[in-house]
Amino acid sequence: MSKLYLECYSGISGDMFVASMLDLGASQKVLEEVLASLPLDGYKTGITRVNKSGLDVCDFNVVLEHDNHDHDMDYLYGEHHHEHHHHHEHRHLHDILHIIDHGEMTEGAKDLAKKIFTILGEAEAKAHGTSIEEVHFHEVGAVDSIVDIISAAVCFDDLGIDEVYIPVIYEGTGTVNCAHGTLPIPVPAVNNIVSSHHLPLHIDTIKGELVTPTGAAIASAIVTDTVLPETFTIKKTGVGAGKRAYERPSLLRAMLIETTPRH
């Protein structure tokens, strides 16, 4: 039995999760082969070591090619400008399931990737008052989210983890700007996921979005228990870096743990 404890004191996002799994020893080669097999292009991935608060941690980054797109222009010109540049962002769930099905990965990784996308799709559909078949994955369906989620599933599957403990997920406060206007934090998709899947949330005083919809969907797809064993030993630790700069370092720690039976 392989057990994982996810320490989400800085929230959770897709790239942080993938980085923490790679840092734990998920195969970079396996991941790169799966990504190369996907019917999806227009991006590159980078796996690097970065320094956060003096710690050496893993960073997973999806870089969109030809993305000289100025996101601030969206606010000035609205959605049409947005779609003109990012025609590939408007995908439906069936398009994404097609991409997953055509990737060369294990059945376990495929099933998990589909589960994560379905959780995300249900939450986005509920937030926008539409159905999961109809919802446009504009933020979700963006190439970087697809790559994050498939990578998360592949790396998690590669580590062969059976149990996942997530006792608490920290979230910030305030609002975020999106193409549709200003949203409260947790953003509606995160709120819906946390609500539907009974994820244990702690609202911290930090201003900003600590939990992304992708991060929340990954957490709810893999969590098996929200109560940590009273005592355990740590076999290995992986740390993934987040991209955002808040007053607390943006880090996700993932620990492979062992529980020792009491005598």
Side-chain angles (χ1 to χ4, degrees), residues 106-127:
T106 67
E107 285 308 306
K110 274 186 187 178
D111 290 346
L112 180 54
K114 289 177 182 179
K115 183 179 179 184
I116 297 166
F117 264 110
T118 304
I119 290 169
L120 199 46
E122 283 167 351
E124 292 281 1
K126 191 174 166 192

Side-chain angles (χ1 to χ4, degrees), residues 56 86 106 116 132 150 170 184 195 232 247:
D56 170 55
H86 278 207
T106 67
I116 297 166
I132 189 164
I150 293 175
Y170 275 50
S195 163
F232 56 88
E247 59 253 48

Side-chain angles (χ1 to χ4, degrees), residues 78-188:
E79 284 287 272
H80 299 294
H81 178 80
H82 195 60
E83 285 168 27
H84 171 70
H85 272 274
H86 278 207
H87 53 92
H88 57 251
E89 282 201 1
H90 288 263
R91 286 191 172 88
H92 292 89
L93 186 63
H94 64 86
D95 299 314
I96 290 168
L97 298 181
H98 171 88
I99 291 169
I100 295 168
D101 274 327
H102 287 75
E104 289 166 29
M105 64 190 104
T106 67
E107 285 308 306
K110 274 186 187 178
D111 290 346
L112 180 54
K114 289 177 182 179
K115 183 179 179 184
I116 297 166
F117 264 110
T118 304
I119 290 169
L120 199 46
E122 283 167 351
E124 292 281 1
K126 191 174 166 192
H128 298 296
T130 180
S131 71
I132 189 164
E133 292 77 32
E134 287 305 304
V135 71
H136 283 300
F137 285 79
H138 33 241
E139 328 231 298
V140 181
V143 170
D144 46 355
S145 296
I146 296 174
V147 176
D148 277 347
I149 288 173
I150 293 175
S151 300
V154 168
C155 291
F156 181 81
D157 176 76
D158 187 61
L159 289 169
I161 292 158
D162 311 291
E163 288 180 23
V164 179
Y165 298 93
I166 305 179
V168 64
I169 298 176
Y170 275 50
E171 173 62 298
T173 59
T175 57
V176 289
N177 294 319
C178 73
H180 300 284
T182 304
L183 294 175
I185 296 168
V187 296

